[in-house]
Amino acid sequence: MNINAFNNLSYGVYIITTWDEERPTGCTANCAMQITAEPATIAISIHHDNYTNKCIEKSGRFAISILGVKSNPSIIGTFGFQSGKKVNKFDSVKYDVFSNMPIVTDGCAYLVCDVINKMETDTHTVFLGKVMDADVLSEDDSMTYSYYHNVIKGKSPQNAPTYIATERIKENKTDKYVCSICNYEYNGDIPFEDLPDDYICPICKQPKSVFKKQ
Ligand SMILES: Cc1cc2nc3c(=O)[nH]c(=O)nc-3n(C[C@H](O)[C@H](O)[C@H](O)COP(=O)(O)O)c2cc1C
């Protein structure tokens, strides 16, 4: 299996919000997609350990704030690298209440959903939500996941469904150095670039310079 294929899937960057009793809370997510048009239905994937999961389960509702390229990237960090179990994330992020759900003011659009079904995986709950309300907040382009990684240079934590693929792709990148003489593939613990200049291929004894990055 070539895990680099995962890198070609497209996502956006969203803040999934809900209520913890009277308190608004939520988390950053890249996994959200529309799965039917009529009735409009959305699927999100939320890690079992995320506090947001328990709050959606309890409230039966969630909203998706779709971030735009001009949204403040610190919102992604506030919602994506700490837990609402310990902090009030909305203390530092402005929100409005639409259809009784907290919506990030700095987003470019929002959707409000009632949970109509769910499916458990080993690590994440896939919630299906029927869209009850939606609106556009600005004309800015929405932020893609690749924009977040490539332009903002952001990272994803372990609870993001795409985390493992990303980490393994990284490992792959440092591993793929192939000897152009004998096709020996360097699989050492340290990055190939950090090997001493007098490193020689253990199979054909050619110098480091004949290795090609693939
Ligand atoms: C860019 C980005 C994308 C993420 N995508 C998801 C996701 O789709 N599903 C998920 O469960 N967690 C995702 N996460 C991780 C959660 O946002 C993170 O674990 C958060 O701290 C959970 O907060 P909570 O405990 O308040 O729910 C993502 C984080 C980042 C930064």
Side-chain angles (χ1 to χ4, degrees), residues 2 9 18 35 48 61 72 76 85 89 91 125-126 138 140 152 155 158 181 196:
N2 182 358
L9 287 166
T18 190
I35 54 167
H48 293 155
R61 302 187 81 198
N72 190 333
I76 301 167
K85 198 171 182 176
K89 300 182 184 183
D91 278 356
T125 307
V126 178
S138 84
D140 296 341
I152 298 179
K155 301 267 181 285
Q158 207 160 354
I181 308 299

Side-chain angles (χ1 to χ4, degrees), residues 23 51 82-88:
R23 188 181 71 114
Y51 190 61
Q82 52 184 350
S83 180
K85 198 171 182 176
K86 298 193 181 128
V87 293
N88 285 319

Side-chain angles (χ1 to χ4, degrees), residues 13 25-32 45-53 76-85 89 124 145 148-149 155-162:
V13 183
T25 192
C27 71
T28 304
N30 61 287
C31 289
S45 174
I46 303 294
H47 198 281
H48 293 155
D49 294 342
N50 285 356
Y51 190 61
T52 305
N53 189 316
I76 301 167
T78 301
F79 281 87
F81 291 94
Q82 52 184 350
S83 180
K85 198 171 182 176
K89 300 182 184 183
H124 289 70
Y145 193 53
Y148 170 68
H149 279 284
K155 301 267 181 285
S156 301
Q158 207 160 354
N159 285 3
T162 45

Side-chain angles (χ1 to χ4, degrees), residues 110-131:
Y110 75 86
L111 308 166
V112 170
C113 301
D114 282 352
V115 175
I116 54 167
N117 215 331
K118 64 169 188 167
M119 188 187 95
E120 297 298 344
T121 72
D122 286 350
T123 53
H124 289 70
T125 307
V126 178
F127 289 103
L128 294 190
K130 181 177 174 185
V131 181

Side-chain angles (χ1 to χ4, degrees), residues 7-8 58 60 62 91 98 103 107 128 136 145 154-155 158 163 168 178 181 186 195 202 210:
N7 223 13
N8 293 315
K58 220 168 157 191
F62 65 87
D91 278 356
F98 295 123
I103 305 296
L128 294 190
V136 175
Y145 193 53
K155 301 267 181 285
Q158 207 160 354
Y163 169 77
R168 287 168 69 195
V178 179
I181 308 299
Y186 176 75
L195 288 173
V210 306

Side-chain angles (χ1 to χ4, degrees), residues 190-200 208:
I190 54 171
F192 183 77
E193 293 98 323
D194 292 344
L195 288 173
D197 286 341
D198 59 358
Y199 172 79
I200 55 164
K208 188 178 173 182

Side-chain angles (χ1 to χ4, degrees), residues 13 68-71 73 76 142-155:
V13 183
V69 284
K70 291 187 186 155
S71 299
I76 301 167
S142 56
M143 186 188 295
T144 63
Y145 193 53
S146 59
Y147 183 94
Y148 170 68
H149 279 284
N150 300 332
V151 180
I152 298 179
K153 304 285 181 203
K155 301 267 181 285

